[in-house]
Amino acid sequence: MTTIAFIGLGNMGIGMASNLAKAGHDVRALDISEDAVARAVEVGCKGCKDTSEAVSEADIVVTMLPAGKHVRMVYGDEGGVFDHAKQGALFIDSSTIDVATARAVISTAEHKGFHMIDAPVSGGVGGAAAGTLTFMCGGTKEAFEQAKPYLDIMGKNVFHAGDAGNGQVAKIANNMLLGIHMIGTCEAFNLAEKLGLDAQTFYDISSTASGQNWSMTSYCPAPGPVASAPSNNDYQPGFAAAMMLKDLRLAQDAATTARAATPLGTQAEALYSLMEASGKDDLDFSGIMKLINGTI
Ligand code: NAD
């Protein structure tokens, strides 16, 4: 049994912490929301009141927070994780955050004698609850190997993407591609329909032809062809358009810093920001179909 501090028990964190507790670990739960801590206690964690109580005996600290500023604060602020953790403890940050912050926080952790990896996930709330997340990890091989048995409890696919921050790089590059091919798929279905070709017939042809892609065959944005897709459930998420926009913004910020040309990523961000402007960013990200076909 390992003592694990888990900080950030929101939609994702609660499922992940619950799986660690179910596997027999001593999970110390901390969140600024008392309700979140209460939910963690219900699923087998010990509720904590402050950082010292959560992390001072922990061998591992897992964080699952909204954005880079929360990660910087939770680790680096006075009275934060760096001040209270045991020497040699391992930190796993699974939040989706900007690459620069991930690299800076890991570098500080290492200077202070801790091990740390960035380990953002894909798989959503369902994957967090089921323990089937994909982890994309950045950091030293040693820290990754140390983290892996615990990531295996929370996930199904665990990848070491290289040095610190590379997990975040993999995550935002993948999600930028997902946003782009989702929009392209919507445009193709809309064009076909406007020209008199129904969604099912177009799907039958394109899903076995060169237009085939994940957005089409696993998550079809046109209602009908893929029964489990959010398009058949009024575009309820799923993976909300707001979350896609967050990842596209991170990708654009990183692209600017790296001077990488991402013209389609730029367009994808602009289109998802129109979803936000129209107040529809709580729809699933495949709901961008409604923007493309003019029904928002
Ligand atoms: P969430 O907002 O539901 O949960 C975040 C939790 O962090 C909240 O409970 C909040 O109270 C807590 N928190 C914020 N500041 C804190 C602090 N200073 N100390 C302690 N707790 C604090 O978000 P989520 O949906 O669980 O997502 C978490 C991360 O995972 C995000 O970075 C998100 O981009 C990423 N992610 C989410 C999904 C998804 O489908 N929800 C999928 C993949 C990745």
Side-chain angles (χ1 to χ4, degrees):
M1 184 175 72
T2 305
T3 300
I4 303 172
F6 204 111
I7 306 179
L9 297 135
N11 294 322
M12 296 293 289
I14 188 72
M16 296 162 73
S18 155
N19 285 324
L20 291 170
K22 262 190 239 150
H25 296 298
D26 171 14
V27 182
R28 316 270 170 104
L30 181 67
D31 197 292
I32 46 171
S33 153
E34 283 178 20
D35 289 350
V37 175
R39 277 193 296 277
V41 171
E42 277 167 26
V43 298
C45 304
K46 285 187 188 141
C48 296
K49 285 185 196 58
D50 55 32
T51 307
S52 162
E53 188 185 352
V55 311
S56 52
E57 291 170 9
D59 303 301
I60 295 179
V61 178
V62 184
T63 43
M64 194 52 170
L65 298 160
K69 66 177 179 192
H70 306 96
V71 172
R72 263 197 309 273
M73 206 166 79
V74 163
Y75 284 94
D77 270 11
E78 205 182 323
V81 173
F82 290 152
D83 285 350
H84 289 292
K86 286 202 295 203
Q87 267 305 298
L90 168 69
F91 306 150
I92 301 171
D93 179 40
S94 279
S95 326
T96 301
I97 65 169
D98 58 287
V99 176
T101 296
R103 289 184 171 153
V105 174
I106 292 175
S107 166
T108 309
E110 287 171 348
H111 277 106
K112 289 179 180 284
F114 302 110
H115 303 280
M116 182 166 188
I117 60 168
D118 56 301
V121 301
S122 76
V125 176
T132 57
L133 292 169
T134 294
F135 283 92
M136 297 157 253
C137 306
T140 64
K141 194 161 183 341
E142 190 192 0
F144 172 73
E145 293 298 342
Q146 215 183 329
K148 189 162 183 306
Y150 304 94
L151 302 179
D152 283 337
I153 294 169
M154 299 183 280
K156 196 169 61 168
N157 298 304
V158 179
F159 296 101
H160 187 207
D163 292 343
N166 278 16
Q168 302 292 351
V169 174
K171 164 92 186 173
I172 56 170
N174 179 72
N175 279 17
M176 183 181 79
L177 177 58
L178 173 62
I180 291 168
H181 66 62
M182 176 55 78
I183 294 165
T185 303
C186 291
E187 288 188 6
F189 274 93
N190 187 49
L191 175 67
E193 196 198 321
K194 295 267 188 228
L195 294 170
L197 181 54
D198 67 274
Q200 187 63 53
T201 307
F202 176 62
Y203 177 89
D204 292 343
I205 296 166
S206 191
S207 65
T208 55
S210 49
Q212 186 276 335
N213 69 84
W214 185 91
S215 290
M216 177 183 286
T217 54
S218 295
Y219 217 82
C220 188
V226 175
S228 60
S231 55
N232 293 309
N233 186 27
D234 290 331
Y235 296 99
Q236 292 312 299
F239 181 53
M243 303 289 285
M244 172 54 83
L245 180 57
K246 173 192 169 180
D247 293 351
L248 289 169
R249 283 180 171 148
L250 288 172
Q252 286 310 291
D253 289 348
T256 304
T257 307
R259 294 176 174 245
T262 54
L264 294 179
T266 306
Q267 284 298 307
E269 185 204 355
L271 288 167
Y272 277 101
S273 70
L274 288 176
M275 292 277 286
E276 180 184 55
S278 59
K280 298 290 184 192
D281 59 339
D282 56 341
L283 292 180
D284 185 76
F285 82 110
S286 61
I288 195 120
M289 185 63 167
K290 292 168 82 66
L291 192 70
I292 302 293
N293 68 17
T295 56
I296 277 185

